[in-house]
Amino acid sequence: MVLQSALHHLASGPRYTSAAVASTRIRCLSTKGAPEVTLYQYAICPFCNITKSFMSFADLKYKAVEVNPLTKAEISKWSEYKKVPIAMVDGEQVNGSDEIVSKLINHPFIASSLQEKLDATMTTVTFAESEGSKKWEQFARDDLASLLYPNICRTWSDSYEAFSYVKDVESFSSFQKFAIQNVGSLAMYYAASKIKQKRNITDERQALNDALVQLEEEGLGEGKQFLSGKDKPNLGDVAVFGTLRSIEGLPTHDEVMQGREQTALVDWYQRMKPLISY
């Protein structure tokens, strides 16, 4: 199942190099070119979109390969890991969005690219490791991402529409598109109840709205432009944006965002869009 397979916790522990090591790498190796990245993804997977948002923010070009959620044929022959995202970074397989971002953020090209975009008081390490950055990145991964799943498949028709992205995947045959949209959406619809039960959710839309209210009040209160609290976004901003971006164009996104016209969240989302495009 598309999003259910992605809802997993990754191993904890230090993910980024120290500021001293990072700055040394930038000085010594910044002439190296960008890493070659191929991303295996589902278009509506929030974790895949966190990864893509980070790469876009870092001005990293990459190749995206859409994975068939029913057969996983694009990865099954060579990867024991069957979830997405998977990235091949300069020929090395990296599994999971957290690990992919960790791998990329320490690359000299990306570290240098990020530094040019950050607030004057930020480094590539504080961009990812400040208290606020870690708080909102975790919020995006652990809270917001899992709430999106039951919201975009509240009904079978919602689930069916969520899978409409397959119509634009040129690598899928007509039969594959038909099968994915019909079988995948049905499986997704029935799996939503398990997510709701696991998280003790009785009203999925209210739970999502409550999470977004928390985001507005705690992250964007007092006139903050970004969740970073500075003039430029940090990794928390990027992760939350990527999560919400994963359902852009679906009824859930329209309802929860359009219902917040002229609010801090909508203003923040519009500020983020020019910085992250894919």
Side-chain angles (χ1 to χ4, degrees), residues 65-82:
V65 177
E66 196 66 32
V67 175
N68 184 323
L70 302 182
T71 66
K72 298 182 174 65
E74 293 76 11
I75 60 174
S76 61
K77 292 182 179 180
W78 52 268
S79 177
E80 294 182 0
Y81 184 82
K82 304 304 181 187

Side-chain angles (χ1 to χ4, degrees), residues 128-178:
E129 287 292 327
S130 67
E131 182 178 350
S133 180
K134 290 191 289 186
K135 172 183 177 178
W136 294 113
E137 185 190 8
Q138 183 177 4
F139 172 85
R141 296 181 185 278
D142 296 346
D143 297 323
L144 192 56
S146 57
L147 286 172
L148 294 186
Y149 183 24
N151 270 277
I152 66 173
C153 57
R154 298 173 75 189
T155 65
W156 181 80
S157 62
D158 285 341
S159 297
Y160 186 83
E161 185 166 357
F163 276 87
S164 63
Y165 75 88
V166 301
K167 296 176 181 178
D168 298 322
V169 181
E170 295 181 358
S171 60
F172 292 165
S173 67
S174 297
F175 175 76
Q176 287 174 320
K177 293 176 182 180
F178 176 85

